[in-house]
Amino acid sequence: MKMLEAKELKKSFGGNEVLKNISFEVNKGDVLAIIGPSGSGKSTLLRCITQLERIDSGEIVICGDTLVKTDAFGKAVYADKKQCAAISRHLGLVFQNFNLFPHFSVLRNITEAQRKVLGRSKDSSEEIARKLLKKMGLADKAHSYPCELSGGQQQRVSIARALALSPEVLLFDEPTSALDPELTGEILRVIRGLASEKMTMIVVTHEMLFAESVADRVIFMDNGNIIENGTPEEVFKKSTNERTKAFLSKY
Amino acid sequence: MTIQNIVTQLGGGMLKTILLFFSTLVIALPLGLLVSFARMSKVTFISKKFKPVRLLAQIYISIMRGTPLMLQIMVVYFGPYYLFGMKISSSYQIYAAIIAFAINYAAYFAEIYRGGIESMPQGQYEAAKILGFTKAQTFFRIILPQVMKRILPSITNEVITLVKDTSLAFVIAYAEMFTMAKRIAAKETSMIPFVAAGIFYYVFNLIVAVVMNRIEKSMDYYK
């Protein structure tokens, strides 16, 4: 079952074409790793899928619902506001720099959206939050504030915050880029754990070993294009593309 | 005239000063937020560069900050008579003073709010959007509480200035503290009313500083 279909996505900022012609799919339970040099459009791609940016043309279908398609004039036409909001409920996003709410406790960071967006009760949202915190190894941090936590702990809270809304696809935008190698390991373990539970995920990452060992599919992007789209073995071991080989040789 | 007499007479002035002070804050703090929204408005008209709401707010702030508050108080008080020939009574004094102070301070508060709101990292809005919060929820639950923490020191500054500025209401003979002190001093040819007034303003501001400091401390639990 397809959880995400992107067809011929194009996106420019001013005259700068950031996404040139991006098409790919993600199947249920798959982990897709997106790798590539800085400025290749990886983050912009995630931001377009999660509606933080709008595409210029192309088609995005999420969990069977069409978010945007292109009309006869080649212009992107989005679903109405309500539908767009409903579609974004299918997705969760984990940011590079966490973006936790600093004035809320860890627990409230995880319960606030459950209560105000999904309308869950205080008790049930706290129960869900505590279960997730336990899973993240942070059961004793429920009443701490984000500023009292290490970067790795903050990132685990932000994963818990995203999971609390039961997304069908979880997206990560360079989740370990703001962390030192030791803390990186703890986040990668969490993602690995989610992969083993068959959570559908899209992970933009610079951790090649991680991408190779956890992902079911790997996309290599460069300069707004998808250069390579295949299994980790196809991309990391068997690629004949010069650009791919040059990029991977640095790792 | 004994000191006790002077203080009793000044007492009425004190109450009026306090009334003017709190009324101004109660109106100017929320009004300033509205003005800051207008100042940041993205509404365009005809051309993409012409933002009428923003322009109006800019003009408003510019006038309020660019002309003396004393003059503004007089315009608000005497304006209805000179412009429309309306009869003004002394009961209008308190309203004129509150209106003038509120619209003046709202302009200053608006710029403080704007500075605070614009200093918020984009990531907070993005996280809130991804989690599905509405724009109003995002602003009032996520953004504004953090903005308040950031702007509190600047607000404290303005509030302390306001305590002292209330004395400007003397120009329309609103019988606040300073007006009373002047009257008594002239009548009794004594410095004491001025000293008493000085002490009053100082103590008032001391209390303001302590209270604001408490509020600031209460937000210290996060960075």
Side-chain angles (χ1 to χ4, degrees):
Chain A
M1 187 187 156
K2 284 175 196 159
M3 301 301 275
L4 177 83
E5 293 172 76
K7 282 181 207 151
E8 296 169 13
L9 305 191
K10 286 182 185 148
K11 169 78 185 167
S12 302
F13 291 111
N16 184 17
E17 259 192 302
V18 185
L19 300 179
K20 286 174 182 159
N21 195 359
I22 301 289
S23 303
F24 68 97
E25 295 174 359
V26 180
N27 289 319
K28 194 173 168 64
D30 272 2
V31 177
L32 168 68
I34 304 179
I35 60 171
S38 299
S40 58
K42 312 182 294 292
S43 289
T44 305
L45 178 57
L46 278 203
R47 294 172 62 84
C48 286
I49 295 166
T50 52
Q51 299 182 49
L52 292 176
E53 302 285 352
R54 294 197 147 216
I55 57 168
D56 301 328
S57 71
E59 188 178 337
I60 299 175
V61 180
I62 294 165
C63 300
D65 297 325
T66 301
L67 171 67
V68 54
K69 55 187 174 193
T70 300
D71 65 13
F73 306 101
K75 247 191 89 192
V77 182
Y78 275 80
D80 62 50
K81 244 182 165 181
K82 230 174 143 186
Q83 177 77 352
C84 281
I87 290 173
S88 81
R89 298 271 51 81
H90 295 307
L91 307 176
L93 175 63
V94 173
F95 297 87
Q96 179 176 346
N97 39 17
F98 332 133
N99 290 335
L100 291 174
F101 304 129
H103 59 309
F104 289 163
S105 68
V106 163
L107 191 68
R108 191 154 171 211
N109 261 284
I110 306 172
T111 55
E112 190 76 358
Q114 294 187 64
R115 298 185 58 192
K116 304 299 165 194
V117 177
L118 301 186
R120 286 182 191 151
S121 72
K122 185 167 186 280
D123 288 345
S124 70
S125 63
E126 282 188 2
E127 199 187 317
I128 291 168
R130 285 184 195 281
K131 257 187 211 155
L132 285 165
L133 281 174
K134 201 171 161 206
K135 190 171 162 186
M136 297 291 148
L138 295 169
D140 55 332
K141 300 289 183 193
H143 298 291
S144 300
Y145 283 84
C147 63
E148 298 162 347
L149 306 180
S150 74
Q153 289 171 331
Q154 289 190 46
Q155 192 59 300
R156 280 183 279 157
V157 173
S158 88
I159 295 172
R161 181 176 72 173
L163 287 173
L165 301 179
S166 346
E168 285 154 90
V169 183
L170 191 52
L171 299 91
F172 295 82
D173 187 5
E174 300 193 25
T176 62
S177 293
L179 304 174
D180 69 34
E182 207 170 331
L183 299 179
T184 296
E186 64 182 61
I187 298 306
L188 297 184
R189 268 197 298 283
V190 169
I191 301 176
R192 214 181 278 272
L194 292 171
S196 68
E197 291 168 22
K198 286 289 157 205
M199 179 87 205
T200 311
M201 290 185 284
I202 302 177
V203 187
V204 168
T205 184
H206 289 296
E207 301 290 330
M208 296 305 147
L209 287 175
F210 170 77
E212 194 175 347
S213 62
V214 177
D216 300 291
R217 308 279 306 175
V218 176
I219 283 178
F220 171 61
M221 278 182 76
D222 187 35
N223 202 17
N225 290 305
I226 290 181
I227 308 288
E228 204 104 38
N229 181 354
T231 63
E233 179 154 337
E234 283 165 356
V235 175
F236 286 102
K237 297 270 158 49
K238 295 182 182 158
S239 175
T240 52
N241 186 293
E242 285 306 314
R243 185 69 191 92
T244 312
K245 283 201 273 189
F247 176 75
L248 290 173
S249 70
K250 290 181 196 118
Y251 286 89
Chain B
M1 200 178 197
T2 62
I3 292 186
Q4 206 188 344
N5 250 332
I6 293 173
V7 171
T8 332
Q9 285 203 30
L10 285 175
M14 275 184 210
L15 288 179
K16 290 193 165 182
T17 293
I18 292 170
L19 172 67
L20 178 56
F21 171 80
F22 282 109
S23 309
T24 301
L25 283 187
V26 165
I27 299 170
L29 282 170
L31 183 61
L33 190 58
L34 289 179
V35 175
S36 80
F37 288 155
R39 175 66 183 74
M40 293 181 286
S41 157
K42 292 184 184 110
V43 177
T44 57
F45 185 65
I46 301 175
S47 119
K48 267 198 173 167
K49 277 194 181 146
F50 181 51
K51 302 191 173 94
V53 181
R54 179 181 294 197
L55 186 68
L56 275 178
Q58 271 173 314
I59 294 170
Y60 167 73
I61 291 168
S62 170
I63 292 173
M64 287 299 142
R65 294 201 303 187
T67 59
L69 175 55
M70 201 189 282
L71 184 73
Q72 294 166 16
I73 299 167
M74 291 174 74
V75 168
V76 173
Y77 185 58
F78 295 112
Y81 172 73
Y82 286 121
L83 294 173
F84 312 110
M86 285 162 68
K87 237 182 127 190
I88 44 179
S89 66
S90 61
S91 66
Y92 175 54
Q93 279 168 346
I94 172 71
Y95 298 109
I98 292 173
I99 292 169
F101 274 90
I103 60 175
N104 177 277
Y105 271 80
Y108 284 94
F109 287 145
E111 287 297 87
I112 295 175
Y113 283 125
R114 182 169 71 93
I117 291 169
E118 288 179 348
S119 79
M120 284 298 294
Q122 202 53 36
Q124 292 288 303
Y125 291 96
E126 292 183 351
K129 183 173 182 207
I130 293 287
L131 292 169
F133 290 108
T134 62
K135 279 194 173 156
Q137 284 173 332
T138 302
F139 186 76
F140 288 106
R141 293 180 176 275
I142 315 257
I143 303 299
L144 191 59
Q146 297 184 59
V147 165
M148 290 317 278
K149 179 182 162 86
R150 284 172 190 225
I151 65 175
L152 210 57
S154 314
I155 295 280
T156 304
N157 255 336
E158 285 305 316
V159 174
I160 285 175
T161 307
L162 171 62
V163 170
K164 293 175 288 180
D165 274 359
T166 53
S167 62
L168 292 174
F170 85 91
V171 288
I172 54 170
Y174 174 58
E176 46 65 57
M177 184 75 188
F178 185 69
T179 311
M180 292 308 289
K182 253 178 34 149
R183 264 185 218 162
I184 301 166
K187 203 170 90 188
E188 307 286 330
T189 53
S190 161
M191 267 288 285
I192 293 172
F194 286 136
V195 175
I199 293 172
F200 166 77
Y201 286 118
Y202 182 76
V203 172
F204 195 163
N205 266 331
L206 214 55
I207 296 168
V208 168
V210 169
V211 170
M212 294 305 271
N213 197 26
R214 284 245 173 107
I215 300 176
E216 228 172 283
K217 280 242 169 76
S218 75
M219 297 187 194
D220 259 358
Y221 67 89
Y222 73 92
K223 272 183 214 129

